[in-house]
Amino acid sequence: MQKRNLGTNGPVVSALGLGAMGMSQGVYGHSERAESIATVHAALDAGVTLIDTGDFYGMGHNEMLLAEALRGRPRDSYQLSVKFGALRGPDHSWGGNDGRPEAVKNFLAYSLNRLGTDYIDIYRPARLDPATPIEETVGAVKEMIDAGFVRHIGLSEVDAATIRRANAVHPIADLQIEYSLISRAVEDEILPTLRELGIGLTAYGVLSRGLISGHWTTARAGADGDFRGMTPRFSAENVDHNLSLVEALRRVAEAKGCTVAQLAIAWVAAQGADIVPLVGARTRERLSEALPALDITLTADDLADIEKAVPLGAARGDRYPTAMMTTLGAGN
């Protein structure tokens, strides 16, 4: 497994990370507990060390699932990246974000207990709390670093100005943000800011929630509880156009001797050694497909062919429902 450093001050992690959200709460459809645990085991056995979760994924379910999957593994053999702050109701509703210092410490206490660990490697607010200055939130995490409960501070879905303010309080290891062939808004201002400050990027949504995986079809739309049914890029008026981009990408992948998903992941990884793609695999089959992407070398001609197949800004529809777009640090 290749390794990459998350920024100047962050940890050395596997060049591909495992995103665990889809293993809980059915956000992308049904998941099998046994298969989820087997997938975590397969990822660790393949050398994946970075595992990403959130305390609000399944209202704690995801953390407890990971605790079970990680039991018996040496603690220094993997790194836990945990998002906090998103408020949930018992009906699975969303109630905003809480970044107050006292809330940070409360969230952390519960996560440590659910995960069955003494520390978290990278702790990050899931979204910006508009009522709490980022300096106060980061300052509270810094106190937890000083106390030994956290190793590094990360951010998620914030803009360049917020990154600078946070980094002035304590060095930030990485920013977690959506980045894919059809979600490239980070390239304008956020990515240059990260590189100026020596901050890494963990890219989620590298397959755009399966849309550009090469496996999505319109027949899968509308599954009960699947978040994608509310997402503009998957809507009836946009999905056919977006899938036409995937078919153009498929021709490039076939010429390269790889799958569409592998090419899309390899493209993100090729955007810089400071970028670590997160793959939200729920099954060993999807994980097995993703892992070889790290071995694909993209030439200048390959990159040009990919750009021609999926031009910048070619996708239709926002990456989140309209109401959620206001909480994001970058646009599409």
Side-chain angles (χ1 to χ4, degrees), residues 125-200:
R127 295 290 187 271
L128 190 65
D129 173 3
T132 304
I134 191 63
E135 290 86 352
E136 294 184 12
T137 303
V138 171
V141 182
K142 179 183 182 298
E143 289 183 27
M144 295 298 93
I145 290 178
D146 295 339
F149 297 118
V150 173
R151 296 286 172 86
H152 303 279
I153 303 177
L155 297 172
S156 178
E157 288 287 359
V158 294
D159 60 21
T162 302
I163 294 168
R164 292 185 185 279
R165 290 169 52 198
N167 196 65
V169 176
H170 187 278
I172 301 300
D174 72 309
L175 170 72
Q176 187 175 120
I177 198 164
E178 187 166 350
Y179 189 27
S180 73
L181 270 168
I182 62 173
S183 297
R184 296 175 58 179
V186 298
E187 295 175 349
D188 294 336
E189 185 178 9
I190 290 175
L191 192 51
T193 299
L194 296 177
R195 288 174 170 161
E196 175 193 337
L197 299 175
I199 299 172

Side-chain angles (χ1 to χ4, degrees), residues 23-24 32-41 44 51 60-73 78 80 111-117:
M23 298 177 182
S24 296
E32 293 285 350
R33 183 180 188 84
E35 181 61 25
S36 294
I37 291 173
T39 301
V40 174
H41 290 169
L44 294 170
I51 302 176
H61 174 274
N62 204 245
E63 291 179 318
M64 292 187 288
L65 178 72
L66 287 177
E68 182 177 348
L70 296 170
R71 191 171 297 128
R73 300 276 178 161
Y78 58 87
L80 290 169
S111 284
L112 290 171
N113 186 60
R114 285 190 292 257
L115 287 163
T117 186

Side-chain angles (χ1 to χ4, degrees), residues 69-108:
L70 296 170
R71 191 171 297 128
R73 300 276 178 161
R75 182 61 183 86
D76 60 359
S77 68
Y78 58 87
Q79 294 115 344
L80 290 169
S81 166
V82 180
K83 292 183 288 296
F84 68 87
L87 304 175
R88 305 295 303 273
D91 59 352
H92 295 194
S93 60
W94 296 87
N97 297 279
D98 192 346
R100 294 172 302 140
E102 57 268 36
V104 171
K105 297 170 186 178
N106 178 78
F107 291 137
L108 177 59

Side-chain angles (χ1 to χ4, degrees), residues 279-300:
V279 176
R282 288 181 288 161
T283 65
R284 286 168 288 180
E285 180 183 6
R286 289 292 175 253
L287 175 68
S288 295
E289 180 183 16
L291 289 170
L294 296 176
D295 298 321
I296 298 173
T297 299
L298 297 179
T299 66

